[in-house]
């Protein structure tokens, strides 16, 4: 079970390197995002995150996200 929640500050890997932002939505059932199908369950949720630098949103599994302390990046 993931300990990440909506509003948490997180970082994740992109093709340009590591970036950070916040969790804006937690998904616990399958969903479509940006034309892609994502599988999610309550035991293995996915999260919609918003980049701090660009405001762009992306969807990731919890295992791809790293929790940040409030004073980190």
């Amino acid at each position: 079970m993931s300990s990440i929640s909506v509003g948490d500050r997180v970082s994740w890997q992109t093709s340009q390197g590591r970036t950070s932002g916040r969790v804006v939505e937690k998904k616990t059932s399958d969903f479509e995002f940006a034309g892609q199908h994502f599988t999610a369950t309550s035991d293995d949720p996915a999260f919609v995150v918003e980049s701090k630098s660009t405001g762009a949103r992306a969807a990731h599994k919890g295992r791809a996200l790293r929790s940040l302390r409030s004073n980190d990046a």
Side-chain angles (χ1 to χ4, degrees):
M1 191 75 135
S2 176
S3 62
I4 296 172
S5 301
V6 171
D8 285 357
R9 293 179 36 73
V10 294
S11 70
W12 60 95
Q13 190 65 38
T14 71
S15 58
Q16 295 82 26
R18 197 131 196 103
T19 193
S20 65
R22 67 182 177 90
V23 175
V24 295
E25 203 171 341
K26 179 178 181 177
K27 300 285 195 173
T28 56
S29 61
D30 294 359
F31 66 104
E32 299 285 328
F33 184 87
Q36 292 184 311
H37 179 79
F38 289 83
T39 302
T41 66
S42 57
D43 289 331
D44 189 20
F47 298 88
V48 177
V49 294
E50 184 175 332
S51 170
K52 176 182 173 183
S53 60
T54 66
R57 291 187 175 193
H60 294 286
K61 285 290 201 169
R63 63 184 163 267
L65 303 175
R66 182 186 304 163
S67 291
L68 298 175
R69 296 184 307 262
S70 60
N71 60 346
D72 285 348

